[in-house]
Amino acid sequence: MTKTLAAQLKPVAVDFETLHKSYSPVLSLVRVLIGVVPNCDTFLEIWPTGFRTYNLLVPNMLNLPATLFGRKRTKSLMGLAMYRSSMAAECPYCSAHTCSYALRRGATAEAITGDRTPREQAVVALAEGMSRIPFQVSKAEYKAFVSLFPPAEAEKIVLSIGLMGFLNKFMDAIGVPLEQEAINDVGKLLSVTEWQAGKHVDGQPDISKSIIPQPDNLLTYLRVIRQGPAADRLEKGWTRGVPNSYPEAGEFLQKQIGYSFPFLAHFSQKRIVRALTTVLRDNLDKDNTVVGIPAKCLAGYLFSRIIFNHSLSVELRKVAAQLAPQLEEKIFLHLDELATQPTPESDADIERFYSSLSNHKGLTKNDLTSILLARGASTSPSEVTNPIINQVGEWLQPAAVVELVVWLSVLQLVHRLENYFSIARGS
């Protein structure tokens, strides 16, 4: 049986009782959204910035709670987009949760299983194309999508797909165990699709108690209203002092981390700008890292090469030049080569992988293992093999593992959105 990083991290995962003491409002809101408090929370809190990143992205990228009170068509299509995004990225964990999310927001079982309206199919085509590696949205698919929706509604759907870039990468690479409550929601419905639980369930999922969840109702809204103010206070503390518009946000990031991330200029919602700016600042904060900024620069650059995103590679080189200027040009050229090679599958493969990097002065075993983990975690689905997991357990602290995978997950979100804006400019 394939091991997972989740199994390795489980002894140090933060229990739900502890999480509820600090974060009860946001945990309760997630339960309203998908019917369960997800297991991923216990792993993200191993590196607390990871948990904060996740809880900044989800409500802001989905425009919560406003979306729940808004138009049924929009929120159901966002849910459908999130579901098909997760299926295209081959993340069974997110596929189950987003199936539940979509059904609760009003999507039909028929739309889940493939009998869709032209509008639903345009959303699905966009979601799947944005979520494959490499990015595969054609100009025709883009034009079909934007022709069917006003700009504000289109942006909400695109943002939901971008959010899944983060969630798909983290859940898949870590191998977070899928909750039985989620299977009880959607297991039977998903059993007639191509969905397989894979590494996220030990054995075959038990779908005997599966009942399709009901759409939002008055009780849903009352629960959101009850938890909303406290969750909002948490978020305000996390984002205090961060600009909510561009170019101010770019200037802020330029000062904090040495790069302005111009894709932020595309967003019309101020809360999106503030949340993403906070996430980028926090994930590149030299005073808040366990794995180290050089390791994150190298891992992030390798990720960008594996997913064939040249513009992101250029951006990450600029970040590295500011935050880790000791990294020489030749190491990045070497990472270009590693991106084209298969993921190490044996101890001998890993020994050769390490040996090929041994000529680069200043790289620690922490850096080498971070590069190795990035090589396995960057593909979709991930290829975090048992030998890689063994090396990670020996050489990386648990918080460093979570930090690194969170960073790659942030970059996958950026990747999806930057590519979408690129095709929009060219159409």
Side-chain angles (χ1 to χ4, degrees), residues 390-405:
N390 292 338
Q391 287 294 308
V392 166
E394 183 174 356
W395 295 104
L396 292 183
Q397 297 179 49
V401 177
V402 174
E403 178 184 357
L404 194 68
V405 178

Side-chain angles (χ1 to χ4, degrees), residues 347-365:
D347 292 336
D349 290 341
I350 289 177
E351 187 60 36
R352 285 190 291 271
F353 185 92
Y354 284 155
S355 179
S356 72
L357 291 163
S358 62
N359 291 330
H360 300 292
K361 296 180 180 179
L363 293 185
T364 66
K365 200 59 180 281

Side-chain angles (χ1 to χ4, degrees), residues 269-287:
Q269 298 180 54
K270 290 185 175 182
R271 67 182 301 189
I272 298 295
V273 176
R274 175 177 283 146
L276 289 174
T277 301
T278 304
V279 164
L280 290 165
R281 177 201 64 183
D282 291 352
N283 277 266
L284 288 172
D285 183 353
K286 67 181 188 311
D287 296 322

Side-chain angles (χ1 to χ4, degrees), residues 219-231:
L219 184 58
T220 307
Y221 305 138
L222 291 174
R223 287 171 176 166
V224 170
I225 291 170
R226 180 182 179 185
Q227 300 296 338

Side-chain angles (χ1 to χ4, degrees), residues 104-122:
R104 291 168 186 273
R105 307 292 88 77
T108 64
E110 291 76 15
I112 295 295
T113 56
D115 183 9
R116 304 181 182 111
T117 66
R119 182 176 277 110
E120 289 170 339
Q121 190 53 45

